[in-house]
Amino acid sequence: MPETETGSAGADADGPAEAGGGLDEVADELYGVRPDEFIPRRDEAVARAREAGDRDLARAIGRLRRPTRAAWLSNLLARERPDQLEGLLGLAEGLADAQRTLDGAALRQLSSQRRKLVGAVAQEASRLARAEHEPVGDGLLRELQEILEAALADPDIADEVRSGRLTRSVSYSGFGPGARADAAPRPARTRPAPPRREPAEPAPEPEPDEDERERERRERERRAERERRERALAEARAEEETARDRQFAAEGARDDAVAARDDARDRVARLAAELESAREAERAAADAARDAETAARAAGREAGAAASRTARAQAALDELDGS
């Protein structure tokens, strides 16, 4: 079984359906850049999605995990040498069949071919990485070989490798698919029995010399130190992922609060504009009322003066008629 859990962009970034197309495009771009460029490019993509108003896409992009350097090498192969990678993964079926049927001869032949192909494909990945100005040491090359070996042993890991979006290193500690319960070993070719000889006295087991014991001790210490550092790396990655999750949750809450604040400000602005317009209308109506009042008074005075003139004219006419 795989010693470490496999991871790819598809599993880590379950964005909403409406953001799927954009997320795929961004993921294809991000998992094609060098490891040291991944985080800044991802942050730029998150910022672009937020500026476009797509907060769901921004969160989905933010959940995309940076690949380990070995996973990046695997992704590089999937992108640049898919045929060569598929040729290697094509051995998986033959290896599985030989393992299930306990065909030792076929298994030995395929295992030898597998080792050669794994080494050749890993070297090709190293050449591709150097072309990208990414140095590849022996340790990193071994880590990539472990990924390829795991892909040959596990179809799910093979699919992750083919996707070009692997995020973590994986290894395989088993011996491939298990044999069938009814499987029996194929008989080996019979050879003539060698002539009988008198048993010789068994040679004493040589005592390991001091240098050998020292090498074994150093190797044990090296393995223990590697395991300790791998645990520390796994813990650091888990803490980073947890912190990232908290960051994205906080940023989502912030975005919601900012949107609510902006909506409230827009409503206040609309109401303030309506209030100012109403006040302008009130002032205009008040001015019109004052002008109308003034005009009404002037008209009243003119009407009074006209009435006085009419009365005087009537009196003058009456006086003439009476004389």
Side-chain angles (χ1 to χ4, degrees):
M1 296 296 296
E3 290 180 347
T4 56
E5 181 181 349
T6 184
S8 70
D12 297 332
D14 297 327
E18 62 271 18
L23 180 61
D24 282 339
E25 293 173 5
V26 173
D28 281 340
E29 176 188 352
L30 289 177
Y31 286 100
V33 302
R34 292 167 51 188
D36 59 346
E37 296 176 353
F38 184 89
I39 296 298
R41 294 283 286 273
R42 184 187 65 186
D43 292 345
E44 290 172 4
V46 169
R48 285 196 301 270
R50 283 180 178 154
E51 289 172 2
D54 196 338
R55 287 179 288 169
D56 290 336
L57 177 59
R59 290 175 187 144
I61 294 172
R63 286 194 293 267
L64 294 176
R65 293 178 177 174
R66 176 177 57 189
T68 64
R69 296 188 68 222
W72 175 77
L73 281 176
S74 172
N75 295 338
L76 191 61
L77 278 172
R79 291 168 181 274
E80 301 296 333
R81 298 292 186 269
D83 293 340
Q84 191 171 345
L85 178 61
E86 196 59 43
L88 170 64
L89 297 179
L91 287 176
E93 185 176 352
L95 284 166
D97 184 64
Q99 178 70 20
R100 283 191 296 268
T101 60
L102 302 178
D103 187 347
L107 189 58
R108 284 191 296 273
Q109 181 181 1
L110 287 170
S111 296
S112 175
Q113 186 180 359
R114 177 197 65 194
R115 285 191 295 272
K116 292 177 182 177
L117 277 176
V118 165
V121 171
Q123 288 297 333
E124 180 62 21
S126 177
R127 285 190 288 272
L128 291 171
R130 286 196 296 272
E132 297 284 338
H133 307 290
E134 280 289 325
V136 177
D138 292 341
L140 184 57
L141 207 58
R142 282 194 299 272
E143 197 172 346
L144 173 61
Q145 289 172 337
E146 289 178 357
I147 291 174
L148 297 176
E149 294 278 4
L152 282 168
D154 189 319
D156 291 334
I157 298 176
D159 289 339
E160 298 286 355
V161 169
R162 287 187 182 99
S163 75
R165 296 184 188 178
L166 194 69
T167 60
R168 296 180 181 177
S169 299
V170 291
S171 60
Y172 199 83
S173 60
F175 298 98
R180 293 197 306 263
D182 59 347
R186 296 184 180 180
R189 296 176 183 175
T190 58
R191 298 180 181 179
R196 182 178 179 83
R197 296 180 180 178
E198 290 297 324
E201 288 292 329
E205 292 271 344
E207 289 288 332
D209 59 21
E210 189 66 28
D211 291 342
E212 180 64 23
R213 284 196 295 269
E214 179 63 20
R215 281 195 296 271
E216 291 176 355
R217 184 188 64 80
R218 285 199 299 266
E219 180 61 22
R220 287 194 300 271
E221 290 178 352
R222 189 192 69 81
R223 285 198 298 268
E225 179 63 16
R226 178 178 176 82
E227 290 174 0
R228 186 190 67 78
R229 294 186 184 187
E230 286 176 346
R231 286 195 300 271
L233 177 60
E235 291 171 1
R237 284 174 175 163
E239 290 175 1
E240 179 187 1
E241 289 165 11
T242 301
R244 285 285 183 185
D245 289 341
R246 286 198 298 265
Q247 174 194 358
F248 298 136
E251 288 176 349
R254 179 201 62 195
D255 291 345
D256 292 340
V258 168
R261 180 202 65 192
D262 292 343
D263 290 343
R265 284 179 176 175
D266 290 343
R267 186 163 179 263
V268 168
R270 287 195 303 271
L271 292 175
E274 291 175 6
L275 178 60
E276 183 60 27
S277 177
R279 284 174 175 168
E280 287 290 339
E282 179 191 17
R283 286 192 290 268
D287 292 342
R290 284 194 298 271
D291 293 343
E293 182 66 26
T294 300
R297 291 195 191 99
R301 287 193 298 272
E302 290 178 0
S308 296
R309 289 194 296 273
T310 299
R312 286 195 297 273
Q314 183 65 51
L317 179 59
D318 292 343
E319 183 181 355
L320 179 62
D321 291 341
S323 60

